[in-house]
Amino acid sequence: MFRTVRSARTTALTALCCAAVFPGLVGCGVFSEVGSELGSAADEVQSELEDAAREVLTEGQLFTGTKTLDVDGASVHVSCSGTPSDGRPVVVLMAGMGDGLDTLEGLQETLAEDERVCSYDRLGEGESDQPEGRQSIDDAGRTLTVVLEDVAGDGPVVLVGHSLGGLIAARYAPDHQDRVSGLVLLDATSPTMIDDISDVIPESATGEGAEVRAQNMAIFEGENPEAIVIDSDPEVRSAGEVPVEVVQHGVPYLGEIAEYGDDLERVWSEGQEKWLALSDRSRLSTAEGSGHYIHVDEPDVAVDAVRRVVDEAAA
């Protein structure tokens, strides 16, 4: 996540049929031959069965398409594709700031050919409700927990986060090692991004540098679609012995910022290296032909990274 002032190169920092589950049961006339003396009882039982069927069909582990979840009274938009497989983790995609799950549609569609894949809009993004006030990374984590409980139950997940979504995933995983079995970070926001910007662009800066600094400081203080405050914390805690793929951009788009571009590219790269501390099984690679949106610029790079982590997590 990094906001520049040139609009031309600004990056965003910004159901299954019931017959398939209950064949010949729900809505199929199972009680059509019940005697009239049992009519009312049969109607009651049928109603209960239909309610049970609807409940099962809306479980995240089974539904395909989109739906909304209630998270403390707020509506969160969720999308799932693909078929669950025994022993395979559910892949959960997490977009960057300013993006809805639609920006991950292509990645989700490709991965769903072989995996169960879900995505969601965080509060303030896409079709989800607006947050009631300022949020923290921990608040975003609590929303993520509700999503994971719905789409994966008690099963394992691989979190795939782009930009701010990557930072949230990386902060979440160490506290949920019983659930998160792998991570893919696509040009994830650095754990020390706000300090990095402050160090590179001094308060005395003028011109474009001053605008970039002020804009990003405001974003990190909560002036963003999610009203999320992003603190700088150099500590990267272990997420356990899980496979982690860290993929950084290779096209130096930050380098276009006058005077400070080269140093901004340097600290961004250093920030990607910090995420390697998540696991002894972490790997860092560069998407040479990509800007910030690796899953759009080089979708095969993102797909391959996710598949490697899922395969390792399922082994």
Side-chain angles (χ1 to χ4, degrees):
M1 182 184 70
F2 195 95
R3 183 64 58 85
T4 67
V5 295
R6 298 178 186 175
S7 60
R9 54 184 172 78
T10 296
T11 60
L13 299 181
T14 63
L16 296 174
C17 172
C18 68
V21 179
F22 295 108
L25 186 58
V26 178
C28 301
V30 68
F31 295 112
S32 62
E33 298 181 4
V34 175
S36 59
E37 69 277 6
L38 297 178
S40 60
D43 289 343
E44 182 177 350
V45 172
Q46 182 169 359
S47 177
E48 292 176 355
L49 287 170
E50 289 173 343
D51 288 343
R54 279 191 291 271
E55 181 177 350
V56 170
L57 289 170
T58 55
E59 287 288 332
Q61 298 94 302
L62 294 177
F63 96 97
T64 295
T66 61
K67 69 174 184 179
T68 58
L69 295 178
D70 181 273
V71 180
D72 295 331
S75 177
V76 173
H77 184 223
V78 180
S79 169
C80 284
S81 313
T83 304
S85 300
D86 289 341
R88 305 285 288 183
V90 175
V91 178
V92 178
L93 308 179
M94 304 171 63
M97 180 182 289
D99 293 331
L101 60 80
D102 58 305
T103 64
L104 298 164
E105 183 177 0
L107 180 60
Q108 180 165 336
E109 182 178 357
T110 300
L111 291 169
E113 295 173 3
D114 303 300
E115 311 293 346
R116 179 66 169 168
V117 188
C118 299
S119 57
Y120 72 105
D121 290 328
R122 293 188 299 276
L123 294 177
E125 305 287 8
E127 297 184 33
S128 290
D129 286 348
Q130 295 296 312
E132 292 186 353
R134 286 285 191 260
Q135 296 194 92
S136 66
I137 296 296
D138 287 343
D139 292 328
R142 283 187 281 272
T143 299
L144 176 56
T145 293
V146 175
V147 172
L148 298 185
E149 288 175 346
D150 184 80
V151 304
D154 295 329
V157 298
V158 165
L159 300 180
V160 181
H162 168 243
S163 197
L164 177 61
L167 184 147
I168 294 171
R171 293 305 194 194
Y172 183 86
D175 292 326
H176 299 84
Q177 297 183 32
D178 59 331
R179 182 186 296 276
V180 180
S181 62
L183 289 163
V184 179
L185 308 182
L186 301 173
D187 224 31
T189 302
S190 165
T192 56
M193 194 70 237
I194 191 168
D195 288 344
D196 296 340
I197 294 173
S198 298
D199 290 343
V200 169
I201 307 177
E203 194 171 359
S204 60
T206 59
E208 183 182 24
E211 293 182 57
V212 169
R213 176 189 167 100
Q215 190 176 55
N216 282 276
M217 292 300 170
I219 288 171
F220 276 75
E221 291 170 1
E223 298 298 325
N224 57 70
E226 300 176 43
I228 189 167
V229 177
I230 308 164
D231 295 323
S232 189
D233 184 355
E235 181 184 7
V236 176
R237 295 178 296 122
S238 173
E241 294 299 316
V242 298
V244 177
E245 290 262 357
V246 180
V247 188
Q248 64 182 350
H249 69 259
V251 176
Y253 70 94
L254 297 175
E256 298 179 21
I257 299 173
E259 189 175 352
Y260 304 106
D262 289 345
D263 283 335
L264 289 172
E265 284 289 347
R266 173 182 56 79
V267 295
W268 184 271
S269 182
E270 291 172 355
Q272 302 307 295
E273 293 177 3
K274 290 183 176 78
W275 289 128
L276 295 176
L278 283 163
S279 172
D280 290 338
R281 298 171 63 190
S282 296
R283 293 180 295 268
L284 173 64
S285 61
T286 301
E288 298 293 349
S290 297
H292 190 46
Y293 284 79
I294 295 169
H295 53 293
V296 175
D297 295 341
E298 290 186 282
D300 288 348
V301 171
V303 168
D304 289 346
V306 176
R307 286 175 172 164
R308 283 193 298 269
V309 169
V310 173
D311 285 344
E312 289 187 44

